[in-house]
Amino acid sequence: MELLHWKQENLASRRYSVSGEDGPVGELAFRGWTSNDADFSSERINLYFQRQGWLEHDVTIHFKDEVIGMSKTSGFGKTTTTLVTGEQFTFQGKSLDNSRDLLDEAGNILMHFEQGSLSITKGQISVARDIPELTKLLLVATGLYFKHLGQ
């Protein structure tokens, strides 16, 4: 199991950094105080999350100006992300719990996102199994993005 750490710049910030034992992994930054659009950047991949309207909870995920996935959120805190490859992932949590799980199509937990018990500006991401590097970065970015929106 791999353990990553995420940290919010400060309580009012909409910028998160992710690091592992080998150093920085990437950074998620929202495009403004009222915007739900965000960029994730790392050495290997740059992604852009774009919310589709104010009333809708759909988000498109872009890589190099191409849509590579679409996420739909239900009213019950469950988000399903479908990639153009056909792969599907579910991001879900429980009421009144700050932790979230990211599951594959079979319901296996791929990642567990936790928030610090004494601090709401940092936490950790447990990666349950070997996942290809680019997929892992995509899932970390997507999970952190929806964790922020769920706060």
Side-chain angles (χ1 to χ4, degrees):
M1 179 181 328
E2 181 180 3
L3 191 62
L4 303 174
H5 299 277
W6 64 265
K7 184 177 182 197
Q8 188 175 1
E9 204 169 75
N10 60 54
L11 193 56
S13 172
R14 300 186 83 209
R15 182 179 299 273
Y16 296 82
S17 59
V18 180
S19 60
E21 65 179 40
D22 295 332
V25 171
E27 182 175 280
L28 177 73
F30 285 80
R31 291 192 168 187
W33 186 249
T34 59
S35 175
N36 285 324
D37 294 350
D39 297 291
F40 179 82
S41 57
S42 73
E43 287 184 7
R44 304 262 339 257
I45 193 170
N46 292 311
L47 301 169
Y48 169 53
F49 295 87
Q50 183 178 29
R51 186 160 181 183
Q52 303 300 303
W54 284 98
L55 299 176
E56 297 175 19
H57 294 275
D58 296 352
V59 173
T60 54
I61 304 167
H62 302 259
F63 173 70
K64 293 186 178 178
D65 296 326
E66 290 185 36
V67 174
I68 61 165
M70 172 69 105
S71 297
K72 294 182 178 287
T73 301
S74 74
F76 302 104
K78 184 175 174 181
T79 301
T80 302
T81 299
T82 305
L83 302 180
V84 294
T85 60
E87 294 174 282
Q88 201 169 58
F89 303 95
T90 302
F91 188 66
Q92 65 184 22
K94 296 180 181 122
S95 298
L96 304 174
D97 187 354
N98 288 329
S99 66
R100 304 281 188 270
D101 291 321
L102 197 140
L103 301 95
D104 64 12
E105 292 175 82
N108 300 311
I109 297 174
L110 299 177
M111 295 182 182
H112 180 72
F113 291 73
E114 289 184 75
Q115 187 169 298
S117 58
L118 299 175
S119 173
I120 60 172
T121 60
K122 59 185 171 183
Q124 61 188 26
I125 304 165
S126 304
V127 182
R129 62 179 186 170
D130 287 338
I131 301 171
E133 184 69 19
L134 294 178
T135 303
K136 178 174 70 174
L137 290 170
L138 169 67
L139 295 177
V140 164
T142 303
L144 199 54
Y145 175 84
F146 283 107
K147 182 175 182 355
H148 174 82
L149 291 187
Q151 291 180 343

